[in-house]
Amino acid sequence: MNRIMTEQLIPVTVDFDKPGKQIGAFHVPLSSHDDAWGVVPVPVAVISNGEGPTVILEGGNHGDEYEGPITLGELIRDLDPSEVSGRLILIPAINQPAAVAARRVSPIDGINMNRTFPGDPMGTTTRQIAAFVHDVLFPMGDAFIDLHSGGSSLDIIPSAVIEPGKTPERHAANVAAAMAFGAPIAVVIDNRGDPRTATASAAVAGMTVIGTEMAGGGTVSIDALALCRQGVRNVLAHLGVLPGAGATPVEKPSSLYVLTARAHVIVEDDGVFEPLHRLGAEVRAGELAGRIHFITQPGRRPVDLHYRADGIVYGRRQPGRVRPGNCCLVVATPYESRTA
Ligand code: CA
């Protein structure tokens, strides 16, 4: 039902059934003051050759995360169709308006794309883009790779992200794909069961799903980009769409972690956050995690923050200034010892 409306409203300039390499866009209608019949052109490439799986690769879901878009741009330029067995559909800057603005959310409707799936062909721009991905692209896909970083507000240990599968078989396939990525750690993240993320939506659609978190801070990390480049090729080889010769043998299996319901340290005060531990530090629930300082009230004692889970410091807020409700720290718990 939605698919017919989505295809009608959002035309695309590439033919997904045609062999070879095409670079084009899907055109999300945006009738604005200075462009009555204008569109938001969301770049999409298809590289197709012979038999094999269809893998959909997405970057730029948040517009201030760059390792994924850079990696996908390189694949679009560098891969020859003869190297591909099957089909790659690459969307390096899926939230195009957010990527142009270098913002997490779209400047057009203020929406976080990763809370809009399965989208709405008759919704605002971000919902329409999600609907195109969900209604038109997902039915073609066997696997989905969603490349995130921490964005402007967080720095995160470069890692593969495991989306919980809907069946034991699907879950095992997601874990295997994440392990093939070859990052030092792989983390099960379910966003509290939120079904509106791209990866959760792709899992419901029955695909093998893998995500990443690649540093952040609104910058490009040299180390995370190197890992992302190699990891994506590793996963594509694992899925059989690129030859195995392009993959790096994984020397040490990724350590498995999970974000539990007690992973996040949330601030209740208006002030400046002082962290106490570097990323990767081992911490315990109840341990002092940081302090909130009140820099214009020097007589006021800082407020202590405490970790709520055992594990390692997985992510840390980058801006020092905090307000009530901000997430300052994220703890990843070893998968075997999870309790929540
Ligand atoms: Ca992100």
Side-chain angles (χ1 to χ4, degrees):
M1 182 66 183
N2 266 5
R3 179 175 184 163
I4 294 165
M5 181 60 72
T6 303
E7 286 180 330
Q8 180 185 324
L9 291 179
I10 306 175
V12 59
T13 66
V14 297
D15 179 352
F16 293 106
D17 296 325
K18 197 174 141 190
K21 186 191 312 193
Q22 305 163 73
I23 304 173
F26 53 93
H27 287 170
V28 181
L30 182 64
S31 183
S32 62
H33 171 73
D34 59 359
D35 195 2
W37 279 344
V39 301
V40 172
V42 181
V44 61
V46 54
I47 307 175
S48 182
N49 179 52
E51 295 296 310
T54 291
V55 183
I56 301 168
L57 301 98
E58 170 190 292
N61 178 312
H62 295 131
D64 58 348
E65 304 177 3
Y66 306 117
E67 287 79 3
I70 290 172
T71 296
L72 297 189
E74 289 173 346
L75 285 175
I76 290 168
R77 295 189 298 278
D78 295 348
L79 280 180
D80 187 87
S82 65
E83 297 173 79
V84 173
S85 303
R87 179 168 58 173
L88 299 178
I89 297 172
L90 305 109
I91 324 158
I94 180 181
N95 198 344
Q96 190 265 11
V100 169
R103 304 280 298 178
R104 178 174 183 82
V105 302
S106 174
I108 294 175
D109 52 20
I111 292 177
N112 174 353
M113 166 150 279
N114 221 27
R115 301 293 183 273
T116 61
F117 278 82
D120 178 355
M122 291 189 284
T124 58
T125 301
T126 307
R127 298 186 193 288
Q128 288 187 300
I129 295 172
F132 184 87
V133 174
H134 179 272
D135 299 342
V136 179
L137 300 185
F138 278 3
M140 292 189 261
D142 298 294
F144 180 64
I145 303 175
D146 188 20
L147 301 170
H148 282 255
S149 304
S152 302
S153 76
L154 285 174
D155 188 22
I156 301 180
I157 297 178
S159 45
V161 173
I162 299 167
E163 173 68 37
K166 297 298 164 196
T167 65
E169 293 74 24
R170 299 299 341 149
H171 189 69
N174 293 356
V175 172
M179 298 303 264
F181 191 90
I185 69 171
V187 185
V188 179
I189 302 180
D190 76 346
N191 280 294
R192 299 173 183 272
D194 196 325
R196 301 172 298 167
T197 66
T199 51
S201 186
V204 170
M207 279 182 275
T208 297
V209 180
I210 171 185
T212 64
E213 291 293 353
M214 288 287 142
T219 186
V220 179
S221 157
I222 295 170
D223 293 338
L225 181 56
L227 176 64
C228 192
R229 282 183 174 124
Q230 191 56 59
V232 169
R233 283 184 175 263
N234 288 353
V235 174
L236 293 176
H238 166 78
L239 295 169
V241 72
L242 286 186
T248 337
V250 176
E251 288 165 14
K252 188 167 171 278
S254 311
S255 302
L256 271 182
Y257 289 85
V258 61
L259 297 194
T260 70
R262 302 180 64 79
H264 306 87
V265 177
I266 304 292
V267 186
E268 295 178 0
D269 296 275
D270 199 306
V272 170
F273 166 54
E274 174 199 358
L276 293 181
H277 302 105
R278 298 181 196 285
L279 293 184
E282 289 192 23
V283 298
R284 307 286 297 176
E287 183 179 344
L288 190 64
R291 301 182 186 93
I292 304 300
H293 293 268
F294 308 100
I295 57 174
T296 59
Q297 301 165 269
R300 187 174 170 192
R301 290 187 62 80
V303 167
D304 290 341
L305 297 175
H306 297 91
Y307 295 110
R308 302 165 61 232
D310 296 344
I312 59 170
V313 179
Y314 178 55
R316 197 178 90 195
R317 179 177 170 85
Q318 293 300 288
R321 184 75 173 88
V322 292
R323 293 183 172 79
N326 286 156
C327 174
C328 275
L329 293 156
V330 185
V331 171
T333 298
Y335 193 72
E336 302 70 30
S337 66
R338 67 193 188 279
T339 54

